Amino acid sequence: MTTCEVYGLRVRQARLLRRMTAKEVLAKMGWSGARLTRMERAETVELAVQDVDHLSEVLRFPAEFFTTAPVSRVEPSDLSFRAPKAMTAAEKNRMAQVMALSGDFLLQLHAAQKLPPLLIEPRPTLDPVAAAAAAREMLNVGPDAPIADLTHLMERSGIPVMMRSERFGSQGLEGNSRGRLEKHLGCSVWIGEFRERPLVASRELDSWERTRWTLAHELGHLMLHRNAGEMTDEREQEASRFASEFLAPYAHASASLRSAPSLVNLLPVKMKWGISLGALLRHFYESGAMDEHRYETLRKQLYTRVNPDTGFTWGRTEPGWDDRLPERPRLMSRWVEAVYGTKSVQALAARRLILPVDVIGELMVGQRGPAQKAVATPASAAAPSVTGRRGAVVEVDFAGAHRSRQA
Ligand SMILES: [Zn+2]
């Protein structure tokens, strides 16, 4: 009987990606007992070739996937991410393995064509404000310079960004009327054999303000909380403080304001630095620009004033909400195109990659084509290329994103 060596983690990854329970896989394989669980926990097992083929069929992953050594090892506790209570263990595990597979996919691309070198270096001993200044310096952004495209800045500095279409388990986000900045929109992790490369994931949001702030928040985790273990309230606050200071350094962002600014005074600050009024309010309050009473008063205004364009409060759709398009990453799609000479799913399928094409499609959700500009792309120019979410490569349909916001 011919056998081959199968990696336990690969079996687990494929099962989680397919959202199958061990029981379901056992039944389909005609196995019994704890065989699958034992296999998933083992580093490697010897398996008959026909069993590998059967497994490949059941899990819809190429047989080569199971026999290729995993490089990135990610468990839910490695994610800078506090899972909402509603999120199941299976969802958390799946999330971790999606990050691991993205990591391995990026490293595979890296082996063919070097990814941009990593410019940031974690500074866990600094306070969030000092870390934000340090990060700007590492990324070669002056302390007084607004960041036009944060996603592009991160990606060209060696921090790939991926978009996730799932909700990270949190419900009713858009209806969050208390105005708390939602904490579960993104997550980040260090991938690679030595966890030497960061990877950031964000939910595919149609708010440009939330997209930028989420990425800045994850950058904060990367700078401050590498190997920090579980994300506590305190760490979340640190990453949030970092995010606001990184996007809008207080000393410069507040320079043109008189004391006791109003929401209307803050609007030009928002538009210049690319940060929401909600985040700015908190940022200015924490930086000492206003007392608690004024902060609470302005916050109340934010969540009671109605935006006539949308019928929602400013808290939900702030003035300027549709002045920019939400940023989208492009590193992964760019590298796929450079390495495989195509972004088309059909063509990728012929390349015998170790990942199924639909999984590559999931990893590449929201990636935009290299020719598209994030800002001021006419809606008509944003032709979706291949696929849908289950299919494969998705280029962002900006027009669609826009419409759905107005819906
Ligand atoms: Zn966080």
Side-chain angles (χ1 to χ4, degrees):
M1 184 169 70
T2 326
T3 64
C4 58
E5 198 173 48
V6 162
Y7 289 85
L9 177 56
R10 289 305 197 197
V11 177
R12 181 160 163 255
Q13 287 176 331
R15 178 177 64 75
L16 287 166
L17 265 282
R18 293 303 178 209
R19 296 192 166 89
M20 289 172 81
T21 63
K23 218 171 158 181
E24 285 168 318
V25 177
L26 278 176
K28 289 199 167 168
M29 290 298 296
W31 293 346
S32 59
R35 183 165 179 195
L36 189 75
T37 311
R38 270 205 311 274
M39 188 181 292
E40 289 189 5
R41 283 186 189 151
E43 181 59 26
T44 58
V45 290
E46 286 291 323
L47 214 55
V49 168
Q50 59 262 41
D51 278 346
V52 179
D53 288 342
H54 195 187
L55 203 57
S56 155
E57 225 168 85
V58 167
L59 294 171
R60 289 179 288 124
F61 268 70
E64 294 74 31
F65 176 75
F66 301 101
T67 55
T68 303
V71 181
S72 302
R73 289 168 190 266
V74 183
E75 291 305 322
S77 58
D78 298 319
L79 303 175
S80 70
F81 169 58
R82 277 212 308 170
K85 283 196 179 72
M87 198 171 183
T88 64
E91 282 176 313
K92 284 181 221 170
N93 284 318
R94 186 178 193 277
M95 185 69 219
Q97 298 319 318
V98 166
M99 297 298 272
L101 292 184
S102 303
D104 282 8
F105 185 56
L106 282 163
L107 291 169
Q108 205 184 325
L109 295 170
H110 177 67
Q113 177 170 310
K114 293 261 171 294
L115 294 170
L118 179 61
L119 299 188
I120 62 155
E121 208 180 293
R123 287 279 190 271
T125 57
L126 294 182
D127 69 70
V129 171
R136 276 183 161 256
E137 209 179 315
M138 291 171 196
L139 298 177
N140 301 310
V141 183
D144 56 351
I147 296 167
D149 186 338
L150 174 60
T151 311
H152 188 221
L153 173 67
M154 286 168 67
E155 293 205 306
R156 70 172 194 260
S157 310
I159 309 168
V161 174
M162 59 186 294
M163 293 272 138
R164 307 292 307 144
S165 50
E166 79 245 57
R167 286 184 158 266
F168 289 98
S170 68
Q171 296 295 321
L173 166 75
E174 280 77 13
N176 180 353
S177 59
R178 292 195 315 278
R180 277 182 56 242
L181 286 163
E182 175 59 54
K183 301 285 193 339
H184 313 301
L185 297 174
C187 76
S188 53
V189 72
W190 291 83
I191 51 141
E193 193 176 358
F194 302 100
R195 305 195 173 187
E196 67 275 16
R197 285 194 160 269
L199 172 62
V200 168
S202 162
R203 239 185 71 193
E204 193 183 19
L205 303 161
D206 53 24
S207 152
W208 66 264
E209 299 104 316
R210 281 175 187 273
T211 301
R212 283 168 61 88
W213 200 86
T214 298
L215 295 176
H217 175 97
E218 291 309 321
L219 184 59
H221 281 311
L222 294 175
M223 287 292 294
L224 294 163
H225 305 135
R226 187 176 188 171
N227 305 325
E230 208 199 323
M231 286 304 129
T232 58
D233 273 341
E234 195 190 345
R235 287 183 183 135
E236 290 303 337
Q237 274 162 22
E238 286 171 358
S240 295
R241 184 99 173 87
F242 173 100
S244 298
E245 179 66 21
F246 178 79
L247 285 174
Y250 177 69
H252 297 280
S254 64
S256 61
L257 285 181
R258 30 194 191 100
S259 58
S262 67
L263 287 183
V264 170
N265 296 149
L266 286 173
L267 252 180
V269 182
K270 163 185 174 159
M271 296 318 293
K272 178 174 176 184
W273 298 89
I275 178 172
S276 71
L277 285 177
L280 261 187
L281 273 184
R282 183 162 189 95
H283 183 33
F284 277 33
Y285 165 60
E286 286 176 339
S287 303
M290 57 184 85
D291 62 19
E292 193 170 351
H293 176 73
R294 177 132 199 104
Y295 169 60
E296 290 299 341
T297 306
L298 292 181
R299 240 167 57 96
K300 210 175 201 171
Q301 283 179 18
L302 190 66
Y303 288 95
T304 47
R305 274 193 202 175
V306 171
N307 185 332
D309 292 343
T310 64
F312 296 123
T313 67
W314 277 20
R316 186 161 158 190
T317 47
E318 296 185 354
W321 66 280
D322 60 350
D323 282 10
R324 297 190 189 191
L325 290 164
E327 293 179 7
R328 291 295 180 254
R330 66 166 177 265
L331 184 141
M332 209 188 280
S333 67
R334 182 95 166 241
W335 251 251
V336 164
E337 193 169 22
V339 171
Y340 297 112
T342 179
K343 279 184 302 181
S344 126
V345 183
Q346 289 79 359
L348 276 179
R351 297 296 177 135
R352 292 179 59 83
L353 305 178
I354 66 163
L355 291 176
V357 166
D358 69 303
V359 170
I360 294 177
E362 182 177 340
L363 305 187
M364 290 179 60
V365 160
Q367 298 272 327
R368 67 191 167 93
Q372 285 174 300
K373 289 258 194 315
V375 182
T377 303
S380 58
S385 69
V386 244
T387 110
R389 257 168 209 163
R390 247 146 298 151
V393 184
V394 175
E395 283 186 12
V396 172
D397 178 357
F398 288 119
H402 222 73
R403 270 195 305 275
S404 70
R405 277 194 296 181
Q406 287 164 340

